[in-house]
């Protein structure tokens, strides 16, 4: 039985998946199986996957059912003690699984172990993270997961591993959330509410912010976002959790306003538990008429091309 089961869901990633697979197979910790779920890809993803030969690689092809069901199938087929996730267009450094393994051994009561990561923008700009109340070089149990996740998210899917038994306790990814609209946030929130989270500040993974990772405003209307109301009882007594969820509610509200979905915009805006939890910038943007909001979004994208990066949501 391998120590790690690595689960990679794939949908139309013909230009990325081979490099992603090779980054996993070049790990200097080798006790793992690699489960690739082809979620009904319509491009040449399958041929790219099959061009990689390794006895640790397990290939499963299904009809297109979405990323949550693909990950859940990987969890079901996994035989490892821990399940590590890797998105089909991201990369691991060679030490990623070794660092996770050391965390698992040092903090066996942790429900999830995670490392630091970096964002690679299309222009080559590398953006590093900064977490509240976590010092540079920190290794250990996180004191307040939700407070530490207010600027950047402490757990990002490609950087985390979860003890398989945890899924037996809290359930799998929510299949009702579609097209990457918060199923991971929902999962990490459930885990963090019930288990300690162990963290190593070493950067071992790269999140590629390429075109394939971005979702258009039109696609927003096709997605089913996490409602986040399942945590309403917990957030009454956990102010860090409430602020964490309110930032997502504000973000989802802005996305739907940009997409022209007034009804869903009003749902998320009215769901913000405490308007003081969101930044003044977000509060102003939420009140802007759509044409002016579209202008600021256009300006943000234009500035990116000049290597000027900022977040309109925080």
């Amino acid at each position: 039985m391998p120590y790690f089961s690595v689960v990679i869901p794939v949908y139309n990633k013909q230009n990325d998946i081979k490099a992603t697979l090779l980054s996993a197979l070049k790990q200097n910790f080798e006790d793992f199986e690699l489960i690739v779920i082809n979620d009904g890809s319509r491009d040449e993803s399958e041929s790219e996957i099959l061009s990689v030969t390794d006895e640790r690689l397990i290939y499963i092809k299904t009809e297109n059912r979405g990323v949550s069901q693909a990950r859940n199938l990987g969890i079901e087929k996994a035989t490892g003690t821990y399940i590590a996730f890797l998105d089909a267009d991201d990369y691991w450094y060679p030490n990623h699984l070794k660092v996770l393994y050391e965390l698992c051994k040092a903090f066996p009561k942790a429900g999830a172990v995670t490392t630091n990561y970096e964002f690679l923008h299309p222009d080559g700009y590398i953006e590093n993270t900064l977490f509240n109340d976590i010092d540079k070089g920190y290794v250990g149990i996180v004191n307040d997961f939700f407070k530490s996740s207010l600027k950047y998210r402490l757990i990002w899917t490609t950087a985390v591993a979860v003890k398989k038994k945890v899924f037996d306790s809290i359930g799998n990814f929510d299949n009702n959330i579609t097209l990457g609209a918060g199923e991971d946030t929902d999962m990490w929130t459930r885990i963090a509410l019930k288990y300690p989270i162990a963290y190593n500040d070493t950067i071992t993974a790269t999140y590629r912010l390429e075109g394939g990772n971005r979702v258009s405003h039109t696609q927003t209307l096709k997605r089913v976002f996490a409602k986040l109301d399942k945590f309403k009882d917990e957030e009454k007594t956990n102010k860090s959790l409430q602020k964490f969820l309110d930032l997502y509610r504000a973000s989802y509200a802005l996305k739907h306003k940009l997409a022209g979905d007034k009804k869903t915009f009003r749902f998320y805006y009215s769901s913000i538990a405490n308007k003081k939890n969101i930044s003044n910038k977000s509060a102003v943007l939420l009140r802007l008429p759509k044409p002016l909001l579209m202008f600021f979004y256009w300006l943000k994208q234009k500035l990116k091309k000049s290597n000027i990066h900022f977040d309109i949501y925080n």
Side-chain angles (χ1 to χ4, degrees):
M1 183 174 70
Y3 195 82
F4 288 108
S5 294
V6 180
V7 174
I8 305 180
V10 182
Y11 179 69
N12 290 350
K13 295 294 182 181
Q14 63 180 19
N15 296 325
D16 307 302
I17 184 58
K18 187 169 184 176
T20 297
L21 291 175
L22 292 177
S23 80
L25 293 170
K26 290 178 181 178
Q27 294 296 297
N28 50 34
F29 180 91
E30 299 182 344
D31 186 13
F32 67 91
E33 62 183 1
L34 186 60
I35 304 173
V36 181
I37 310 294
N38 183 352
D39 187 35
S41 295
R42 299 178 180 178
D43 63 357
E44 295 302 315
S45 292
E46 181 172 57
S47 61
E48 291 296 314
I49 295 166
L50 295 178
S51 71
V52 178
T53 56
D54 191 287
E55 62 182 8
R56 293 168 294 180
L57 196 155
I58 301 167
Y59 177 63
I60 301 172
K61 184 177 182 180
T62 69
E63 63 182 17
N64 180 237
R65 297 182 296 176
V67 65
S68 289
Q69 292 203 42
R71 287 185 183 138
N72 289 340
L73 178 58
I75 293 168
E76 176 188 333
K77 299 297 183 182
T79 62
T81 305
Y82 284 81
I83 298 177
F85 297 96
L86 175 57
D87 284 346
D89 43 14
D90 297 326
Y91 303 140
W92 281 347
Y93 285 101
N95 64 336
H96 178 69
L97 287 181
K98 183 179 180 181
V99 174
L100 289 180
Y101 174 76
E102 291 169 351
L103 280 174
C104 295
K105 289 299 184 182
F107 307 99
K109 293 185 179 180
V113 297
T114 190
T115 65
N116 202 348
Y117 56 92
E118 63 192 6
F119 296 96
L120 176 61
H121 289 260
D123 57 10
Y125 170 74
I126 295 177
E127 177 183 353
N128 292 318
T129 61
L130 182 65
F131 303 114
N132 295 334
D133 293 344
I134 293 185
D135 296 330
K136 187 175 179 61
Y138 178 76
V139 178
I141 296 296
V142 177
N143 181 49
D144 187 335
F145 172 81
F146 300 106
K147 184 178 180 181
S148 294
S149 298
L150 294 178
K151 173 62 177 176
Y152 294 95
R153 307 310 174 233
L154 189 72
I155 290 182
W156 163 58
T157 307
T158 287
V160 70
V162 179
K163 192 178 296 185
K164 188 176 182 183
K165 290 182 179 179
V166 167
F167 295 109
D168 296 332
S169 173
I170 67 165
N172 289 349
F173 287 92
D174 189 339
N175 292 326
N176 295 317
I177 305 169
T178 64
L179 297 175
E183 77 289 330
D184 48 357
T185 300
D186 171 80
M187 173 59 74
W188 314 141
T189 300
R190 283 188 276 145
I191 293 175
L193 285 172
K194 192 166 183 177
Y195 296 94
I197 305 298
Y199 171 79
N200 186 312
D201 196 49
T202 304
I203 295 173
T204 66
T206 301
Y207 181 10
R208 296 178 62 245
L209 295 171
E210 295 290 346
N213 267 329
R214 294 195 296 269
V215 179
S216 71
H217 303 318
T218 300
Q219 287 176 297
T220 294
L221 301 177
K222 299 178 181 179
R223 304 164 82 193
V224 178
F225 283 72
K227 297 294 190 249
L228 305 175
D229 53 359
K230 68 175 67 174
F231 308 112
K232 61 183 179 181
D233 290 335
E234 290 88 348
E235 65 179 297
K236 289 177 182 177
T237 57
N238 188 329
K239 296 303 179 182
S240 296
L241 170 64
Q242 184 188 81
K243 186 169 185 177
F244 173 79
L245 296 176
D246 277 348
L247 293 178
Y248 271 100
R249 290 166 180 139
S251 174
Y252 293 168
L254 282 170
K255 290 179 188 297
H256 285 90
K257 191 168 191 176
L258 284 165
D261 184 346
K262 295 181 181 179
K263 181 179 179 181
T264 309
F265 160 75
R266 287 193 293 267
F267 169 80
Y268 282 110
Y269 184 73
S270 65
S271 296
I272 298 173
N274 186 343
K275 297 298 191 291
K276 293 181 180 179
N277 284 333
I278 63 175
S279 68
N280 291 333
K281 180 168 58 176
S282 290
V284 169
L285 291 170
L286 285 164
R287 292 194 293 267
L288 289 178
K290 181 186 173 183
L292 192 53
L293 184 60
M294 289 290 292
F295 167 76
F296 281 115
Y297 183 84
W298 169 85
L299 181 62
K300 175 189 175 183
Q301 301 306 315
K302 189 173 181 64
L303 289 173
K304 270 188 177 182
K305 296 179 180 179
S306 300
N307 204 27
I308 301 173
H309 301 269
F310 68 93
D311 191 344
I312 68 172
Y313 299 121
N314 293 312

